[in-house]
């Protein structure tokens, strides 16, 4: 699952850090702009939950429970690696196209809000100092 988490960090333009056991990857923190962190956390939750659900539903066949458990685990690992490959590929295309930063997103958002309020015709309130 660490492969997916690092790929999510690359895709969302954040940095990832692990606390505790890195092999489990359960104590993961994303660092960066707030919008990018929120996207990373959202992707992290949805992708890992989807992997858990799909691997639990995977039916390896009429084998012993030990073999079935190993097959489900290898299926989950394969899914995680494929998702990581796709996220890295999408990250590379974003880098080639010129990825924006969280600061640019906030500037655009603030400008759109200002334009919207000007169109409504409200008077701006000045400070009472």
């Amino acid at each position: 699952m660490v492969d997916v988490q690092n790929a999510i960090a690359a895709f969302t333009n954040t940095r990832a850090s692990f606390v505790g056991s890195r092999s489990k990857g359960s104590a993961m923190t994303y660092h960066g702009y707030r919008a990018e962190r929120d996207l990373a956390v959202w992707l992290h939750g949805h992708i890992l939950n989807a992997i858990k659900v799909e691997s639990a539903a995977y039916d390896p066949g009429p084998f012993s429970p030990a073999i079935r458990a190993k097959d489900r685990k290898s299926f989950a690992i394969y899914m995680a690696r494929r998702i990581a490959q796709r996220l890295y590929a999408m990250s590379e295309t974003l880098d080639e196209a010129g990825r924006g930063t969280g600061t640019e997103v906030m500037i655009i958002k603030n400008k759109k809000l200002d334009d919207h309020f000007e169109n409504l015709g409200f008077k701006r309130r000045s400070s009472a100092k």
Side-chain angles (χ1 to χ4, degrees):
M1 300 311 159
V2 175
D3 294 334
V4 172
Q5 294 162 342
N6 287 331
I8 290 170
F11 177 69
T12 58
N13 203 25
T14 56
R15 293 175 316 281
S17 65
F18 294 91
V19 178
S21 175
R22 185 178 185 277
S23 62
K24 291 183 181 178
S26 59
M28 176 85 175
T29 305
Y30 295 101
H31 305 279
Y33 292 111
R34 182 180 176 126
E36 294 167 342
R37 278 193 333 251
D38 291 345
L39 177 62
V41 169
W42 184 82
L43 278 173
H44 178 97
H46 284 283
I47 289 173
L48 292 183
N49 284 337
I51 289 172
K52 287 177 185 176
V53 168
E54 290 298 319
S55 63
Y58 174 67
D59 184 20
F63 300 106
S64 69
I67 291 174
R68 291 170 66 90
K70 284 183 182 180
D71 282 350
R72 283 192 182 102
K73 186 174 182 177
S74 65
F75 178 75
I77 290 170
Y78 176 75
M79 279 181 54
R81 287 186 180 160
R82 288 291 297 146
I83 291 170
Q85 287 174 350
R86 290 181 182 174
L87 284 173
Y88 280 129
M90 289 191 309
S91 174
E92 289 174 7
T93 58
L94 283 174
D95 289 338
E96 291 171 1
R99 178 195 313 237
T101 63
T103 305
E104 292 170 353
V105 171
M106 291 306 295
I107 290 171
I108 292 170
K109 180 180 173 185
N110 289 339
K111 185 178 180 326
K112 285 189 176 186
L113 283 173
D114 290 342
D115 292 343
H116 176 70
F117 281 112
E118 286 177 13
N119 290 337
L120 292 175
F122 292 137
K123 293 182 180 177
R124 287 197 173 201
R125 196 171 172 189
S126 61
S127 177
K129 288 185 178 181

